[in-house]
Amino acid sequence: MSFRERTVGRVTVYDVDGQLIVGNRHELKRMVLDALEGGARRFVIDFSRTGYIDSSGLGVLITLSKEIRAQGGDLRLASLNRDLTRLFELTKLDTFFRICDDLGEALEE
């Protein structure tokens, strides 16, 4: 499990490789909040290589979204597989987050 941070234009992108779970959620949170504090305002979390998100992972995504919005920023989620898409639908979080089919769509203005 690992996270990778990269910049594409003016967007900070995080690749989640593996799972977003109780054991690693704080690492992602720290990375995103550090970038927000450093002045970044546009974020994409790319789940193209993610197989599972537990409830604590969902919780950290909600926390990050609220913090980013409070500072005038934007968070988008990209490339959810079928199971993750279903998870967001069942929890109604698909109405809370901007979910994009792929990274290209997420990077659009």
Side-chain angles (χ1 to χ4, degrees), residues 20-23 25 52-63 84 87-88 91 93 97:
L20 179 57
I21 57 174
V22 67
R25 72 186 192 279
Y52 180 74
I53 301 173
D54 71 6
S55 59
S56 64
L58 291 175
V60 81
L61 293 174
I62 293 166
T63 299
L84 295 180
L87 173 66
F88 277 79
T91 58
L93 290 173
F97 290 101

Side-chain angles (χ1 to χ4, degrees), residues 24-38:
N24 63 19
R25 72 186 192 279
H26 290 298
E27 181 183 351
L28 178 64
K29 182 178 179 181
R30 180 189 49 77
M31 291 172 73
V32 174
L33 292 179
D34 285 351
L36 185 64
E37 187 176 303

